[in-house]
């Protein structure tokens, strides 16, 4: 079974920065599609950033140029560097480790969160 633990969320002022981390353990073999999604109260889930072994990372339009995703494969750790934060970035952030883009989409859009997430709150 896969176990994911996110950390790094905090309350910051607009313009600030945060670095989220996600440590994966357990059933991690072959899970090369990794990324972050977020959900704010009353809003739909949003894919934030995705990386896999076959293509360059992709970002939501709302965060491109401000967020950067990174991976430390030796540590099974995924990162999300978040700069120039805006109040609209306020949400619970979750990480995902999957074996395919199809599985990624299922987890992000059609299942309950499989980890506790980390809360990011940005005040104006």
């Amino acid at each position: 079974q896969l176990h994911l633990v996110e950390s790094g969320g905090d309350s910051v002022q607009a313009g600030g920065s945060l670095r989220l981390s996600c440590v994966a353990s357990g059933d991690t073999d072959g899970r090369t599609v990794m990324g972050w999604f977020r959900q704010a109260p009353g809003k739909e889930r949003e894919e934030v950033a995705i990386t896999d072994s076959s293509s360059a990372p992709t970002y939501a339009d709302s965060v491109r140029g401000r967020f950067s995703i990174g991976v430390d494969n030796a540590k099974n750790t995924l990162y999300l560097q978040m700069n120039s934060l805006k109040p609209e970035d306020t949400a619970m952030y979750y990480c995902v480790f999957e074996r395919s883009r199809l599985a990624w989409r299922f987890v992000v859009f059609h299942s309950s969160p499989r980890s506790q997430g980390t809360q990011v709150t940005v005040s104006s």
Side-chain angles (χ1 to χ4, degrees), residues 49-101:
I50 309 169
T51 185
D52 64 33
S53 58
S54 62
S55 58
T58 57
Y59 298 91
D61 290 343
S62 58
V63 307
R64 189 175 295 114
R66 299 187 297 121
F67 290 11
S68 178
I69 191 170
V71 182
D72 186 333
N73 289 309
K75 297 181 179 179
N76 281 335
T77 301
L78 182 70
Y79 302 99
L80 186 68
Q81 180 65 42
M82 310 164 67
N83 299 327
S84 302
L85 283 161
K86 304 176 180 180
E88 50 263 45
D89 294 319
T90 295
M92 185 72 79
Y93 285 71
Y94 300 90
C95 62
V96 178
F97 279 61
E98 284 301 331
R99 294 186 173 93
S100 69
R101 289 283 182 139

Side-chain angles (χ1 to χ4, degrees), residues 1 3 5-7 14 18 20 30 48 61 67 72 74 101 112 118:
Q1 187 173 358
H3 188 54
V5 179
E6 301 97 339
S7 63
L18 286 173
L20 306 184
V48 176
D61 290 343
F67 290 11
D72 186 333
R101 289 283 182 139
S112 299
T118 188

